[in-house]
Amino acid sequence: MNRKKFITRAALAALFAGAATPVSAAGKRRKKKQNPESRAGGPMSIATWKHGMEATAEAMRVMQEGKSALDAAEAGVRVTEADKTNTSVGLGGFPDREGIVTLDASIMEGSGRCGSVSFVQGIDHPITLARKVMEDTPHVMLTGRGAEMFAQSLGMVKHPNTLTEVSRKAWENWLKEKQYKPIINIENHDTIGLLALDQNGKLAGCCTTSGLAFKMHGRVGDSPIIGAGLFCDEEVGAATCTGLGETVLRTLASHTAVELMRHGATAQEAAEEAIHRIVKKHSNFKDFQVGILVITKTGEHGAFGLHKGFNYALHQHNSHRLIDAAYYSQAK
Ligand code: SD4
């Protein structure tokens, strides 16, 4: 190995091997990259997109009652799921190409306990169903009809397949051209991923979505896949993703970010590297959007979008704000 390669490798090893301060190729100590909005300390709740404002408010309210991060994360995203004007989460979501709304959701605690449901129809709160899978079954994931049968056994109502007025119109419009191009571009996105850290230092996260608009019937994205749309580990931190799920699935971006932190990256460095990996594996990265939120077990956070436009809600230290994330590229 020549000297230059050796130094570069040594620098990379230092960056992700738990060194307090990474060493640059020139051998100098480099300051670790932090998100300028990040300040440690719980309780905190952080969530994707503008609709994250209501969700993080509810999550914080629940934690202030003394409840856990898990209760808070679930309660927070239930607000988004219940909002029928939201066209990317819950039953108000845009349907698949057959005109059917199918929902995906996952929930995870820092302890490693987790549950998820995918391809579920007619259920108001897939996140609560995911939690029931975690708590009341020996499984991690239930899908489709089986998940719906489980929901009904718990007394959850299964609604007939009716679209909201807005979704029906959007679908009818889509039917005119039936362009089958996954459309999570820079304007068309959403999904809620919410991470919470409670007053006892416990971590939890939730991710819930109606998925890609006008997807193939049966398509499942990253949101219900543990490690892709969501990952939490109390030894390190947690991450959640939004955007074109296929790209997040190919790179297991949430798990990747948490593992990078385990090996010494800050939350911001982990978020950025997870997006860089998506860029490396997708030459068409200009055509879609992805955003990631990452928190450490002490409440620091990182956020990064593939393109301009990804924002997130942060509720922490008596402040509640919508923040524009840094991003990889402005190109479209
Ligand atoms: C999916 N990741 O099903 C979800 C959708 C999403 O912004 O996040 N849209 O691929």
Side-chain angles (χ1 to χ4, degrees):
M1 198 184 313
N2 66 32
R3 190 168 172 272
K4 192 168 166 215
K5 263 195 191 152
F6 175 78
I7 291 174
T8 311
R9 284 201 192 159
L12 281 173
L15 176 56
F16 296 124
T21 318
V23 181
S24 75
K28 291 201 179 122
R29 296 251 162 219
R30 177 171 73 71
K31 208 164 179 285
K32 295 199 116 200
K33 190 165 189 178
Q34 304 284 356
N35 184 307
E37 310 288 344
S38 170
R39 267 172 62 217
M44 80 177 292
S45 63
I46 187 169
T48 55
W49 308 115
K50 187 162 178 287
H51 55 204
M53 287 299 282
E54 290 86 47
T56 48
E58 177 62 9
M60 189 54 81
R61 194 191 62 71
V62 167
M63 286 191 281
Q64 277 161 354
E65 277 178 358
K67 294 198 181 135
S68 67
L70 184 70
D71 288 335
E74 180 195 3
V77 303
R78 277 176 64 102
V79 172
T80 326
E81 287 183 339
D83 178 1
K84 293 288 186 308
T85 67
N86 188 312
T87 56
S88 70
V89 180
L91 291 176
F94 283 157
D96 62 19
R97 55 199 290 177
E98 315 301 327
I100 300 167
V101 178
T102 70
L103 305 175
D104 299 333
S106 62
I107 188 164
M108 188 164 192
E109 277 189 325
S111 64
R113 285 204 316 161
C114 53
S116 80
V117 293
S118 67
F119 192 53
V120 176
Q121 298 175 35
I123 302 296
D124 288 303
H125 289 295
I127 199 64
T128 298
L129 190 55
R131 181 168 177 173
K132 289 287 183 191
V133 172
M134 172 174 95
E135 291 179 337
D136 297 355
T137 81
H139 307 302
V140 166
M141 183 168 191
L142 290 180
T143 198
R145 179 84 193 105
E148 292 160 24
M149 283 164 61
F150 179 52
Q152 285 177 287
S153 78
L154 297 167
M156 293 184 189
V157 179
K158 180 160 165 31
H159 300 284
N161 236 314
T162 42
L163 298 180
T164 63
E165 192 58 24
V166 170
S167 289
R168 172 161 300 283
K169 283 210 176 113
W171 179 54
E172 284 167 358
N173 212 23
W174 176 81
L175 280 175
K176 287 184 200 150
E177 296 205 1
K178 287 197 186 168
Q179 268 230 4
Y180 194 61
K181 199 171 167 225
I183 41 171
I184 293 191
N185 55 27
I186 295 135
E187 294 84 35
N188 174 4
H189 43 64
D190 273 315
T191 288
I192 187 148
L194 186 151
L195 307 173
L197 172 69
D198 66 27
Q199 48 287 347
N200 299 318
K202 296 275 182 214
L203 280 175
C206 288
C207 189
T208 175
T209 189
S210 53
L212 195 55
F214 319 125
K215 60 197 174 186
M216 284 177 73
H217 190 59
R219 179 268 187 189
V220 170
D222 60 314
S223 308
I225 307 298
I226 300 298
L230 178 68
F231 196 70
C232 299
D233 185 337
E234 65 199 3
E235 289 173 17
V236 183
T240 188
C241 291
T242 176
L244 186 60
E246 281 72 7
T247 69
V248 175
L249 281 166
R250 289 187 190 107
T251 54
L252 285 182
S254 293
H255 182 260
T256 295
V258 172
E259 289 308 300
L260 286 166
M261 289 196 292
R262 191 189 305 281
H263 295 288
T266 65
Q268 186 62 29
E269 289 167 348
E272 295 190 14
E273 174 60 17
I275 295 291
H276 290 159
R277 292 207 188 170
I278 291 177
V279 170
K280 269 186 245 161
K281 300 286 177 203
H282 297 86
S283 55
N284 64 334
F285 72 87
K286 288 187 180 150
D287 297 337
F288 59 86
Q289 174 67 303
V290 180
I292 184 166
L293 296 179
V294 181
I295 63 172
T296 67
K297 64 179 180 183
T298 53
E300 284 133 348
H301 80 270
F304 206 57
L306 174 49
H307 299 287
K308 186 175 182 180
F310 173 50
N311 55 18
Y312 61 101
L314 176 68
H315 204 328
Q316 190 181 24
H317 303 302
N318 295 321
S319 143
H320 189 203
R321 299 169 292 146
L322 187 67
I323 301 170
D324 288 326
Y327 49 92
Y328 175 80
S329 137
Q330 203 167 350
K332 200 196 155 189

